[in-house]
Amino acid sequence: MSATSALRRLPAPAPTEPRLGADAASPPTAPIAPDRRRGRGAVSNQTGRFEPVARVAFDDGWQSLDELPPFATTVATDTARKVITRNESPDISFDRSINPYRGCEHGCVYCFARPTHAYLGLSPGLDFESKLFMKPDAPELLERELSMRGYVPKTIAIGTNTDPYQPIERKTGLMRRILEVLEKAGHPVGIVTKSDLIRRDLDILSRMAERRLVRVAVSVTTLDPALARTMEPRAPTPSRRLAALRALAEAGVPATVMVAPVVPAINDAEIERILDAAAAAGVEGAGYVLLRLPLEVRDLFREWLVTHFPDRERHVFTLIRQMRGGKDYDAKFGQRMTGSGPYAWMLGRRFEKACDRLGLNLRRTALTVEHFTPPAKASKQLEMF
């Protein structure tokens, strides 16, 4: 017998003692060998919450695990019929967004979008980083939706779920094609990324900025390249992100730095240093988001802590619970981004004072819809003469 995995039916939830700060029982998981997950963020590939069985890799003594290959990136086609996603969340500033990709190769262990892979029957762990999906016809779908009768233009957000400038964008050019559609239609867009690949599209972005059609936010989690490599293994280094912010500002593109996420006892001491560096790069604004641990992200993050910072695991979760009403996560609107309690209040005041000292957030470039012109429908009948 040389089985390499076990199939265990998930038991019905039963009251258990919280484990290491957990507030719910979780499916069984096992760490993946370091050689197989080299360059990845998650430590395991835990089963998604919708699966009827949990798969746990184990060594049966016949060295069968030695034959398993590393997690290589694969890209499949997402056949969505629409590309604009709507939301009614009261605590975010946009009501529509575009996600050209599902999954993200950056491998940020804390990514709150990881649980979305469970809807695809995949793991929010290593699958999220290696089994990616792209929407190759997103520009055409976007053009069709913008041309629909009754469409009312408002700023579209891109990068709020997964990064539109993740590594595979270098080959696909999908984001650039989307920007070309938006520029031609005169449609405003807000972009969030942690990649300096956005500099590739400075020609389009600078033209859109002249008409107040674009705003860009770049996430800088830490200035320590070693910590960044551990937290976000395939994302550009902090220095390259700061260089991207400088390039955006010099090109006249309104730029914001996002100190996100703020992880207590890991990177929260860097808030002021990150803002100092970003202000020197010429940004006009700044924002921050407290670490969010919805669904499977909680256990993935805990595994990561135990692996890389075993001496801080309990302390980090103690602070998290202080800011989340005694829980590991509280999804309440208005508090999920900033938390509550004394420690969260202190982080907020530190951020505000640093912004005041640096003159950040004194002005915010307002985007406009005055240039919007619906794309002409490809199927439009010839006019009668």
Side-chain angles (χ1 to χ4, degrees):
M1 174 180 177
S2 62
T4 60
S5 66
L7 297 182
R8 303 180 185 175
R9 294 199 175 276
L10 297 180
T16 58
E17 287 296 321
R19 175 176 57 84
L20 294 177
D23 49 22
S26 304
T29 61
I32 303 298
D35 287 344
R36 291 195 63 211
R37 56 179 170 83
R38 188 182 304 278
R40 302 293 181 179
V43 176
S44 70
N45 206 34
Q46 67 172 250
T47 305
R49 61 193 179 281
F50 299 117
E51 302 307 301
V53 295
R55 293 171 172 83
V56 183
F58 72 98
D59 193 341
D60 58 7
W62 291 87
Q63 298 181 328
S64 53
L65 290 184
D66 294 345
E67 304 170 5
L68 298 178
F71 281 78
T73 300
T74 62
V75 184
T77 299
D78 185 341
T79 56
R81 296 182 180 180
K82 292 185 177 181
V83 71
I84 299 179
T85 302
R86 309 280 179 157
N87 79 84
E88 298 179 352
S89 301
D91 59 349
I92 54 179
S93 59
F94 57 89
D95 68 351
R96 63 199 69 183
S97 61
I98 294 175
N99 295 297
Y101 303 104
R102 291 193 183 191
C104 185
E105 199 175 5
H106 281 160
C108 308
V109 68
Y110 51 74
C111 182
F112 65 85
R114 284 183 177 272
T116 60
H117 246 45
Y119 292 109
L120 306 175
L122 297 171
S123 171
L126 291 165
D127 281 350
F128 178 80
E129 309 172 33
S130 57
K131 291 180 170 57
L132 312 181
F133 296 82
M134 65 171 288
K135 302 173 183 176
D137 55 351
E140 292 75 22
L141 292 173
L142 174 61
E143 195 168 32
R144 186 180 70 185
E145 291 182 59
L146 296 184
S147 65
M148 287 183 176
R149 179 177 299 178
Y151 176 80
V152 178
K154 279 188 177 181
T155 299
I156 290 176
I158 305 181
T160 56
N161 198 42
T162 57
D163 202 312
Y165 285 103
Q166 59 179 287
I168 60 173
E169 169 65 18
R170 295 184 183 277
K171 295 182 179 179
T172 67
L174 191 54
M175 181 60 182
R176 184 173 179 87
R177 291 166 53 208
I178 289 173
L179 287 177
E180 289 171 347
V181 172
L182 293 173
E183 180 189 19
K184 184 177 179 180
H187 198 293
V189 60
I191 303 170
V192 180
T193 183
K194 59 179 57 176
S195 175
D196 64 332
L197 179 57
I198 195 171
R199 299 176 67 174
R200 178 200 65 188
D201 298 334
L202 275 177
D203 56 336
I204 299 177
L205 296 174
S206 59
R207 291 195 301 266
M208 294 183 74
E210 290 176 356
R211 296 193 291 164
R212 293 191 294 126
L213 292 176
V214 68
R215 196 165 48 229
V216 176
V218 177
S219 173
V220 181
T221 313
T222 175
L223 297 181
D224 181 351
L227 179 58
R229 172 84 178 197
T230 304
M231 297 181 74
E232 310 153 337
R234 299 200 179 193
T237 61
S239 60
R240 288 171 60 182
R241 295 183 224 179
L242 290 172
L245 282 170
R246 184 179 299 278
L248 288 164
E250 291 176 349
V253 180
T256 296
V257 64
M258 290 298 299
V259 186
V262 175
V263 185
I266 298 293
N267 71 337
D268 58 341
E270 296 189 67
I271 291 176
E272 291 83 0
R273 293 199 296 273
I274 293 172
L275 293 176
D276 285 342
V283 302
E284 68 173 30
Y288 81 100
V289 178
L290 187 64
L291 174 70
R292 298 169 60 188
L293 298 176
L295 302 169
E296 291 95 343
V297 181
R298 179 198 62 191
D299 293 319
L300 289 167
F301 181 71
R302 178 180 288 110
E303 291 173 343
W304 178 85
L305 275 177
V306 170
T307 300
H308 297 285
F309 299 97
D311 57 326
R312 303 191 209 177
E313 189 271 340
R314 290 183 180 275
H315 182 49
V316 169
F317 268 88
T318 296
L319 293 176
I320 289 173
R321 288 191 150 207
Q322 289 179 12
M323 295 185 286
R324 297 296 187 186
K327 299 181 290 187
D328 292 336
Y329 182 55
D330 183 1
K332 186 183 301 180
F333 289 133
Q335 292 186 3
R336 57 180 179 161
M337 305 296 186
T338 57
S340 60
Y343 200 88
W345 181 89
M346 179 190 69
L347 293 178
R349 300 299 77 71
R350 283 175 53 198
F351 176 84
E352 290 176 355
K353 286 183 175 296
C355 287
D356 290 343
R357 171 173 56 83
L358 296 168
L360 300 176
N361 296 332
L362 295 181
R363 59 184 176 87
R364 177 181 174 86
T365 301
L367 303 187
T368 181
V369 298
E370 63 182 7
H371 305 293
F372 178 68
T373 302
K377 293 185 178 180
S379 60
K380 185 177 181 180
Q381 295 181 348
L382 294 176
E383 293 182 353
M384 300 291 293
F385 292 93

